[in-house]
Amino acid sequence: MSSDRQGNTLSGATPAALTLYEQAVEAFNIYRGDPIALVDEAIAQAPDFAMARILKAHLYGLATEPEATAEARDIVAEVKKRSLNEREASHLDALDLLLQGNWTAAAVALDHHLLRYPRDLVALQSGHLMDFYRANARDMRDRIARTLPQWSPEVPGYSIVLGMYAFGLEESGDYARAEEMGRKAVELQPLDCWAHHAVAHVMEMQGRAEDGIGWMIAREPHWSGDDNFFKVHNWWHRALYHLDLGQVDQVFALYDGPIREERSAVALDLVDASALLWRLQLAGHDVGERWNEVATAWDQHADGRLYAFNDWHAVMAYLGAGRETDVSRITDALRNAADPAAETSGWARTTGLALVEGFTAFRRGDYETAVERLHGARYIANRFGGSHAQRDVIDWTLTEAALRGDFRDVATALANERLALKPHSPVNRGFLERARAGGSGGEQAA
């Protein structure tokens, strides 16, 4: 029986199919190339290669896109007809839960899976992403910590594990160790854009905008290639640094260039587009007709049922484009999320709905409602999706609502809170100055 590079046995593999599968895993690890095409070739070579099909199900199931989720369900149904070993069957147990909308149960299933198979790199990375999508910083860190002693530099994939650990440490606020691990990971594998982005997150959270720009520029050849799935998100991080420094022309150049020039329809890229345009408008800048293109691209994903983090970002675009009917459609779907057994329905009714209502109120100039909804939502938003850097748009919008609504006590308190975390941020200093002055500072409505 064949084994992967970490020593895990594989059912139904042939030597040629195994080579293609390992290439697909590596493409997944560094978010570079086309793992789906490679795994399809492996399946064509060996139709009974169970783990190749399982990898494909993970890739589609983690996409947070309705069509991809449906495809993942079909793949799982097909794999269940095959002969599986215990490790492969354990993967399917986790995938079943994920595809039912129960992300936490799926992640916990992989927690237990990895106690038995700590060198299962596909399970480790899939679990890490499940932790990310449900915003569980502790498990992002501790999932890797539990398994790391079973890895060493001699085991293929070790650098990838370090890169995931770096991001888990960063989201847990352990910035010094996060940067250390991230830098070590990219030394071992320069193309690991997840490790690169972990260091970018450290610099964002610490308010080190100049350092962040330097980090991105120095390593740009390693993360910005045409075949890099994560390139838009890393360009987004660079844009955030420029925005914090007030370098708005460079932010627009990045948006119109590498962030949106290819008109990507990938949900991850659309999240970045919506979030950056919203921030630009919060800072008082006219984004022109850019909202219309992003709103149209969201139409194929935003349904109010699959993943509320995406729906919230779609609503930003619909609000910006003046598409009130679609705002109402998503709001109603979130409010009436019907499946009581699915964790994602709970996310929709609580977190997603509060954020959509708060952002909608802000856009309509109802700052009192925006403050009320977002002040509550900021404490529950880490029940689902995204990073601290992504969710910062909630607090930014809340602070702006307090300023524009002349809630000076709220605005002052929030500005002080933000400055405690990033004391050198021009954006945060501007919040406090405006709060003390008692005016909106001339900012235009978002």
Side-chain angles (χ1 to χ4, degrees):
M1 183 172 287
S2 301
S3 299
D4 63 20
R5 294 194 303 159
Q6 291 76 35
N8 301 293
T9 57
L10 302 167
S11 302
T14 65
L18 178 58
T19 298
L20 291 163
Y21 169 78
E22 294 289 9
Q23 292 172 355
V25 172
E26 184 177 17
F28 177 36
N29 294 158
I30 61 174
Y31 301 93
R32 192 181 184 102
D34 189 347
I36 295 292
L38 288 164
V39 82
D40 279 344
E41 289 185 55
I43 293 168
Q45 290 273 351
D48 291 327
F49 189 175
M51 199 61 209
R53 294 179 185 270
I54 289 168
L55 172 59
K56 187 175 180 180
H58 278 293
L59 293 170
Y60 277 128
L62 293 165
T64 69
E65 299 174 0
E67 289 186 6
T69 300
E71 179 68 19
R73 291 191 183 105
D74 290 342
I75 295 168
V76 167
E78 178 62 29
V79 177
K80 288 179 178 179
K81 302 175 184 176
R82 311 281 167 175
S83 177
L84 306 174
N85 62 36
E86 288 186 3
R87 183 179 69 90
E88 293 157 350
S90 179
H91 269 278
L92 290 190
D93 290 340
L95 281 166
D96 275 336
L97 293 165
L98 173 68
L99 298 173
Q100 293 165 9
N102 293 315
W103 287 73
T104 296
V108 170
L110 286 182
D111 282 345
H112 294 299
H113 174 100
L114 286 159
L115 298 177
R116 291 171 287 161
Y117 311 106
R119 291 187 182 179
D120 188 336
L121 189 55
V122 171
L124 201 58
Q125 188 170 347
S126 183
H128 185 71
L129 290 172
M130 289 180 194
D131 296 336
F132 171 74
Y133 282 120
R134 66 196 180 99
N136 191 310
R138 177 171 179 177
D139 212 15
M140 266 193 288
R141 179 194 65 191
D142 293 348
R143 179 186 301 278
I144 310 302
R146 288 190 292 269
T147 59
L148 192 56
Q150 308 302 320
W151 292 76
S152 70
E154 292 70 42
V155 179
Y158 174 69
S159 66
I160 304 303
V161 179
L162 291 184
M164 288 187 281
Y165 195 33
F167 190 66
L169 289 167
E170 179 277 321
E171 288 296 287
S172 301
D174 192 345
Y175 298 132
R177 282 207 301 159
E179 185 166 353
E180 176 189 358
M181 288 291 176
R183 288 181 180 273
K184 184 174 181 180
V186 297
E187 286 174 9
L188 295 171
Q189 171 49 280
L191 297 178
D192 185 351
C193 57
W194 188 262
H196 168 90
H197 121 283
V199 177
H201 270 268
V202 169
M203 295 173 179
E204 169 67 23
M205 298 307 295
Q206 292 183 322
R208 295 160 55 194
E210 293 91 347
D211 288 348
I213 293 169
W215 172 251
M216 305 303 284
I217 291 173
R219 303 199 68 264
E220 185 175 322
H222 299 297
W223 57 260
S224 65
D226 289 342
D227 64 344
N228 194 313
F229 177 78
F230 222 58
K231 63 182 178 180
V232 168
H233 189 66
N234 275 316
W235 283 118
W236 178 80
H237 273 284
R238 180 172 167 184
L240 290 188
Y241 299 134
H242 288 295
L243 185 59
D244 203 31
L245 294 173
Q247 299 168 351
V248 177
D249 288 345
Q250 295 190 57
V251 179
F252 276 114
L254 290 171
Y255 182 89
D256 293 333
I259 292 176
R260 283 312 292 165
E261 64 185 349
E262 295 180 5
R263 298 296 188 263
S264 169
V266 173
L268 175 68
D269 297 342
L270 293 174
V271 165
D272 290 338
S274 290
L276 187 54
L277 289 182
W278 189 270
R279 283 171 169 84
L280 281 164
Q281 287 200 327
L282 288 176
H285 304 292
D286 183 4
V287 303
E289 299 299 313
R290 293 175 178 85
W291 279 124
N292 295 328
E293 180 270 323
V294 180
T296 299
W298 269 119
D299 288 342
Q300 63 183 293
H301 301 312
D303 60 4
R305 295 190 298 272
L306 180 65
Y307 187 55
F309 186 82
N310 290 354
D311 296 317
W312 164 44
H313 283 80
V315 166
M316 293 183 204
Y318 292 145
L319 288 167
R323 290 174 50 173
E324 292 291 333
T325 299
D326 288 299
V327 173
S328 297
R329 171 177 62 84
I330 298 298
T331 304
D332 290 344
L334 293 172
R335 184 177 292 120
N336 298 310
D339 186 354
E343 182 181 24
T344 48
S345 290
W347 291 347
R349 289 191 302 270
T350 55
T351 311
L353 182 60
L355 291 172
V356 165
E357 289 179 342
F359 274 56
T360 300
F362 180 88
R363 177 73 185 189
R364 293 171 180 170
D366 181 0
Y367 300 125
E368 183 174 5
T369 299
V371 168
E372 184 273 325
R373 297 300 280 150
L374 295 180
H375 194 274
R378 69 200 293 250
Y379 296 111
I380 60 174
N382 60 354
R383 291 181 186 171
F384 80 152
S387 64
H388 296 310
Q390 287 177 304
R391 291 189 301 273
D392 183 57
V393 73
I394 303 168
D395 289 307
W396 191 339
T397 306
L398 169 61
T399 307
E400 191 64 42
L403 287 165
R404 298 186 191 185
D406 200 27
F407 302 107
R408 294 182 62 181
D409 53 347
V410 177
T412 301
L414 292 169
N416 285 331
E417 176 187 303
R418 293 178 65 84
L419 280 165
L421 295 173
K422 294 172 67 173
H424 304 296
S425 165
V427 171
N428 292 344
R429 291 201 301 269
F431 283 147
L432 186 58
E433 290 168 4
R434 288 167 58 199
R436 287 172 172 169
S440 67
E443 307 291 347
Q444 67 184 51

